[in-house]
Amino acid sequence: MADEDNKHGVNEGDKLRGDKYFNDTGLWGFIHRSFTKSMGYTDDDLKKPVIGICNTFSELNKCHSHFRELTDYVKRGVWQAGGLPMEFPTISIGEPYVKPTTMLLRNLMAMDTEEMVKAHPIDGVVLLGGCDKTVPAQLMAAVSANIPAIVLTGGPMLNGKLKGQTLGACTDCYQFTLEHKAGNISDEQLTVAENAICRSDGHCMVMGTASTMAAIAEALGMALPGCAAIPAPDSRRRHMSEQTGKQIVELVRRNIRPRDIITKESLDNAIRVTMACAGSTNAIIHLVAIAGRLGYRLPLERFDEISATTPFILNVRPSGKYQMEEFFEAGGVPSLMKEIEPLLNGNCLTVTGQTVTENLRGVRVTDRELIYPLEQPIAPQGGIAVLRGNLSPNGALIKQTAVSPHLKKHRGCAVVFESPADLNARIDDPDLDVDENSVLVLKNAGPKGAPAMPEIGQIPIPKKLLMQGVRDMVRISDARISGTSYGTLIVHVAPEAAIGGPLGLVQNGDEIELDIDMRKLELHVDEETLRERKTKWEAPPPAYDRGYGLLFLERVLQADEGCDFDFLLPPELRK
């Protein structure tokens, strides 16, 4: 962190990291200069601030397919501002492709990014991310490395279009496949939809995890205002890239670092923005992990406190009507933040070098169909609620804005699946003892159990109920869900079943009660019966016996702790 008495200014007594590296008069200075100049750089170039550009382009990551072009515009901005841009790669994790789940690799990407930043002679870094786990991984790394940094997200796709209907990935992916399973859509119609839903570069264009994390990067102050919502193909995404390249040089000159920007107060701002836009439940895990890198335990109660006092005002799917393209036209995150400005910590510093309040001067809310007034919100509370009870003593999450109204208070008998494999084998069995009032329970899908907590919490509706017209049920798991999901989905149950949490003790026929208003998730089984079941409980066999997978299983924390590795936290937070 910058010296306390010169927190946001240049410390004249210190040389830049790159300056020390290239101006060393000994052997290593000679080697550094010689090898670098062989790539075409000159002595004048080596006197400039060195700006690393973390380019996570990958042909195995659709959301980042346009990053080569964006990097060129970032470099243009860096050169214009008097810096020396040097591009480098890290792993890139694309949500549709990585198995068993990108969550397995988020911490690895954070480690890769942190070590690349710390190991090289760079004075500041531009972090290009977009797909769900890439932005949180980069923010975790930025806090830990703590050199001047700025986030540039890749932007959402253009809206999908089909016969006059607006489509959104992956909210409509679920819808189309559900109706296909029910027999209401033919194979040919499904193929037509496949070709229409994703029609440009960019990440998912609803308020899924990618859009939520882009909004969070802005709300934290780590991305330039307006960055999150610009569609990927829009020329203004290129303008934003160039501006970002210029701004990182300014951050280096002023010695403004991530820990000057990401604070308890700015984390509260990010939570408020998440709640106001009914963002992804995944954001909770990532924000807890980012806070942990600061040495701050961010309890789930804080999310619920902020949700209870932050109205839901953004009319964007999956909890609303519109998509990111319209949100951009309505002013994007700055307009949303302007509307909730009375609830924000306005003195928080941002990568502009100005505070949140200063950034919001002159911002106006122009589209009340997209961004509702604070006094007349879509709903009086934020998008996500934290549930507790004997089934989830350490908390569980539900996106309350995407729940069917008749299920917000519900009591039903459990239909239990012991694992994801068991779910896949039996969910469509015509003899499954299930009706529309049942509560579907999936065990062993958490951080250690699945492994790595995949996005399978949107448990499918059994086919025989689909054929009867049922489209939502109460579903409970220790898994995650995509931010694009919808329905009565209770996820992140902690502690998870695989380590002996109460979820692992649920049996078929047990009565479960959900009451969102009361924040209650209760298993109506007496304590003596649960103690008896516990004596017979056995942990599932581990998914890995070597390599990174084994490291993950041995050191990953639970969902309510951010699923980071324990050894990556500051010493004061390690158990």
Side-chain angles (χ1 to χ4, degrees):
M1 188 179 294
D3 293 341
E4 198 63 36
D5 58 353
N6 190 34
K7 202 169 186 180
H8 307 309
V10 175
N11 188 335
E12 297 294 345
D14 287 345
K15 291 184 177 180
L16 296 173
R17 297 170 82 208
D19 193 40
K20 293 178 181 178
Y21 199 87
F22 289 120
N23 283 339
D24 180 271
T25 57
L27 170 65
W28 282 107
F30 178 92
I31 292 172
H32 296 156
R33 291 188 296 275
S34 177
F35 276 64
T36 306
K37 286 192 283 187
S38 75
M39 295 187 288
Y41 298 103
T42 66
D43 285 322
D44 285 342
D45 293 333
L46 302 187
K47 296 174 185 176
K48 296 178 170 66
V50 180
I51 305 301
I53 303 175
C54 180
N55 183 4
T56 51
F57 165 83
S58 169
E59 291 181 347
L60 290 172
N61 189 345
K62 171 262 179 295
C63 304
H64 296 197
S65 60
H66 57 306
F67 277 21
R68 282 175 171 163
E69 181 188 32
L70 294 188
T71 300
D72 288 339
Y73 285 91
V74 173
K75 289 179 179 178
R76 178 191 291 181
V78 172
W79 283 118
Q80 289 174 353
L84 171 60
M86 301 190 81
E87 181 182 344
F88 67 92
T90 65
I91 63 169
S92 180
I93 43 181
E95 204 68 26
Y97 304 99
V98 173
K99 300 294 182 280
T101 169
T102 54
M103 197 63 187
L104 181 69
L105 301 178
R106 183 203 66 177
N107 295 347
L108 182 60
M109 182 175 178
M111 293 169 68
D112 184 2
T113 306
E114 177 186 348
E115 298 306 326
M116 287 292 286
V117 167
K118 292 194 301 189
H120 290 92
I122 57 178
D123 302 305
V125 62
V126 179
L127 301 166
L128 271 74
C131 199
D132 294 13
K133 307 306 177 296
T134 60
V135 173
Q138 291 175 332
L139 287 169
M140 292 160 68
V143 171
S144 294
N146 201 37
I147 71 162
I150 191 169
V151 172
L152 174 66
T153 51
M157 288 183 274
L158 297 174
N159 291 340
K161 296 288 185 181
L162 180 61
K163 296 180 180 179
Q165 179 185 359
T166 296
L167 304 180
C170 247
T171 300
D172 286 311
C173 305
Y174 301 115
Q175 184 71 21
F176 280 116
T177 53
L178 197 71
E179 296 305 326
H180 180 259
K181 181 178 174 181
N184 297 327
I185 292 179
S186 68
D187 293 348
E188 293 75 14
Q189 289 173 311
L190 192 67
T191 299
V192 170
E194 286 176 10
N195 294 333
I197 198 166
C198 298
R199 66 186 186 98
S200 77
D201 290 331
H203 59 68
C204 292
M205 68 291 262
V206 300
M207 189 52 70
T209 304
S211 295
T212 302
M213 292 310 305
I216 282 173
E218 265 195 63
L220 284 172
M222 286 295 294
L224 290 175
C227 180
I230 305 171
D234 195 299
S235 62
R236 285 163 287 192
R237 175 62 55 187
R238 299 176 185 133
H239 303 164
M240 178 61 70
S241 301
E242 181 180 298
Q243 188 179 354
T244 299
K246 291 179 180 178
Q247 192 60 29
I248 185 60
V249 179
E250 181 65 15
L251 291 174
V252 170
R253 286 176 175 148
R254 296 181 60 181
N255 197 25
I256 297 176
R257 306 188 184 204
R259 293 188 194 180
D260 301 323
I261 295 171
I262 303 178
T263 63
K264 289 183 180 182
E265 292 74 23
S266 69
L267 284 163
D268 277 357
N269 286 348
I271 297 171
R272 287 214 185 270
V273 167
T274 302
M275 297 304 173
C277 68
S280 169
T281 51
N282 288 310
I284 309 303
I285 286 180
H286 301 320
L287 283 167
V288 171
I290 293 164
R293 296 299 184 96
L294 288 172
Y296 170 41
R297 290 196 188 279
L298 183 52
L300 292 185
E301 284 77 11
R302 187 59 182 152
F303 291 92
D304 213 34
E305 290 167 4
I306 293 177
S307 181
T309 58
T310 308
F312 165 45
I313 62 170
L314 184 63
N315 193 11
V316 169
R317 300 178 77 197
S319 296
K321 178 180 179 182
Y322 298 100
Q323 302 193 148
M324 291 298 288
E325 192 172 336
E326 290 84 7
F327 183 32
F328 167 63
E329 292 168 359
V333 174
S335 290
L336 179 78
M337 292 180 70
K338 185 66 178 180
E339 187 60 31
I340 63 171
E341 187 175 9
L343 305 177
L344 298 175
N345 297 301
N347 291 328
C348 292
L349 183 69
T350 74
V351 291
T352 65
Q354 297 184 311
T355 65
V356 169
T357 297
E358 290 169 331
N359 288 345
L360 293 178
R361 283 179 187 157
V363 175
R364 298 287 180 269
V365 180
T366 58
D367 191 336
R368 290 302 186 185
E369 183 68 19
L370 263 291
I371 301 171
Y372 279 48
L374 195 60
E375 299 77 16
Q376 297 175 297
I378 302 170
Q381 295 186 355
I384 300 169
V386 178
L387 305 173
R388 288 192 185 270
N390 66 346
L391 191 53
S392 58
N394 292 349
L397 303 181
I398 188 166
K399 185 182 280 190
Q400 59 181 339
T401 51
V403 169
S404 298
H406 71 284
L407 293 175
K408 290 187 174 183
K409 188 173 184 178
H410 182 79
R411 202 162 174 154
C413 293
V415 176
V416 178
F417 301 93
E418 294 294 331
S419 67
D422 183 34
L423 172 70
N424 292 335
R426 294 194 298 118
I427 189 66
D428 291 329
D429 186 340
D431 295 326
L432 185 69
D433 186 11
V434 65
D435 62 32
E436 68 273 16
N437 295 312
S438 299
V439 176
L440 304 181
V441 176
L442 172 61
K443 302 178 182 179
N444 297 310
K448 293 179 183 286
M453 209 178 176
E455 291 182 348
I456 54 175
Q458 188 161 3
I459 301 169
I461 304 296
K463 186 172 183 178
K464 69 179 183 180
L465 296 183
L466 279 177
M467 304 298 287
Q468 298 170 22
V470 176
R471 290 297 182 269
D472 195 12
M473 300 173 68
V474 176
R475 289 162 275 179
I476 304 173
S477 72
D478 45 14
R480 295 179 300 111
I481 50 172
S482 167
T484 65
S485 297
Y486 58 90
T488 311
L489 311 173
I490 301 165
V491 290
H492 300 202
V493 173
E496 65 174 306
I499 64 169
L503 185 70
L505 307 180
V506 181
Q507 294 184 2
N508 286 318
D510 289 350
E511 194 171 65
I512 295 175
E513 180 185 3
L514 165 67
D515 190 328
I516 295 178
D517 288 342
M518 298 299 294
R519 300 298 198 257
K520 182 166 73 171
L521 182 62
E522 199 74 21
L523 175 64
H524 288 281
V525 176
D526 63 82
E527 288 299 320
E528 184 177 346
T529 300
L530 291 177
R531 281 194 296 270
E532 183 180 345
R533 290 180 186 178
K534 182 73 172 181
T535 63
K536 300 175 182 178
W537 175 83
E538 294 182 2
Y544 300 103
D545 61 6
R546 62 169 299 278
Y548 175 76
L550 180 60
L551 172 68
F552 185 95
L553 294 180
E554 289 179 343
R555 307 307 289 268
V556 71
L557 298 169
Q558 288 291 288
D560 60 304
E561 300 171 301
C563 293
D564 203 354
F565 291 152
D566 54 5
F567 61 83
L568 293 176
L569 298 179
E572 63 268 23
L573 287 192
R574 295 177 200 163
K575 292 182 177 179

